[in-house]
């Protein structure tokens, strides 16, 4: 069983394998919020500013159509690669900077066809909750608990070679399939101003 992946306009399509060990998380960090805003897609944030994300392995993700539309941003010079569909600015997900670190946090906005929880289980984690609007804040999931579920899988993918199956990198060269662009402070400030 797999879950459909599609951008809003339908030019980018794919599938994500069912993954009972995925982390289904809502992230309230400023970078996730500003990322949606820079894309002009604040509509993907929930009412508290949260981004619903499924953290899984890139080898589970297959792009079947429109792979040439994939583009990527970085919110800061040290930040992860934040992938989106350039046709309609639908966020797709975040990856590390190199394919050897097999990790993707898929933004639920691109997971279509049926409720995300049916494929990946309910949301059980909440990150950077200080960034959530309103009180009380959601219960914070410790970073260690989140990482404890990711790191062993990423290491296994490194050793068994499955990190090589990824739609986000040309593994031979180690380069992302689209050149990352770092968002300028001005661009970010403008996006924030529009949000307020
Ligand atoms: Zn699109
Ligand atoms: Zn975040």
């Amino acid at each position: 069983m797999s879950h459909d992946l599609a951008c809003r306009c339908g030019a980018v399509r794919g599938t994500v394998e069912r993954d009972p060990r995925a982390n289904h998380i809502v992230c309230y960090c400023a970078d996730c919020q500003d990322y949606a805003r820079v894309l002009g897609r604040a509509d993907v944030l929930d009412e508290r500013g949260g981004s619903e994300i499924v953290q899984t392995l890139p080898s589970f993700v297959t792009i079947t159509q429109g792979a040439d539309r994939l583009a990527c941003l970085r919110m800061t010079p040290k930040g992860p690669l934040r992938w989106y569909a350039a046709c309609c600015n639908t966020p797709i997900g975040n990856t590390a900077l190199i394919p050897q670190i097999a990790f993707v946090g898929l933004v639920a906005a691109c997971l279509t066809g049926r409720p995300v929880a049916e494929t990946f289980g309910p949301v059980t984690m909440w990150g950077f909750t200080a960034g959530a609007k309103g009180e009380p804040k959601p219960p914070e999931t410790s970073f260690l608990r989140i990482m404890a579920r990711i790191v062993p899988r990423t290491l296994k993918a490194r050793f068994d070679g499955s990190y090589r199956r990824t739609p986000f990198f040309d593994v031979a060269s180690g380069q992302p399939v689209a050149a990352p662009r770092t968002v300028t402070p001005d661009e970010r400030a403008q996006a924030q101003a529009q949000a307020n």
Side-chain angles (χ1 to χ4, degrees), residues 8-73:
R8 183 168 63 177
C9 80
V12 176
R13 291 184 184 279
T15 59
V16 184
E17 281 177 45
R18 183 168 180 273
D19 178 10
R21 292 165 66 205
N23 284 345
H24 193 178
I25 182 167
V26 178
C27 185
Y28 300 91
C29 83
D31 279 6
C32 283
Q33 296 192 42
D34 286 349
Y35 168 52
R37 291 182 186 125
V38 164
L39 292 177
R41 293 300 310 273
D43 60 292
V44 306
L45 301 173
D46 70 20
E47 65 282 355
R48 303 194 67 181
S51 298
E52 184 183 347
I53 292 169
V54 171
Q55 298 177 331
T56 185
L57 294 167
S59 60
F60 290 174
V61 181
T62 305
I63 303 293
T64 53
Q65 180 188 309
D68 58 326
R69 310 292 175 96
L70 288 178
C72 87
L73 289 178

Side-chain angles (χ1 to χ4, degrees), residues 115-138:
V116 174
E118 278 184 23
T119 312
F120 301 102
V123 172
T124 57
M125 297 180 170
W126 295 268
F128 299 96
T129 57
K133 288 182 194 139
E135 300 289 344
K137 304 301 183 193

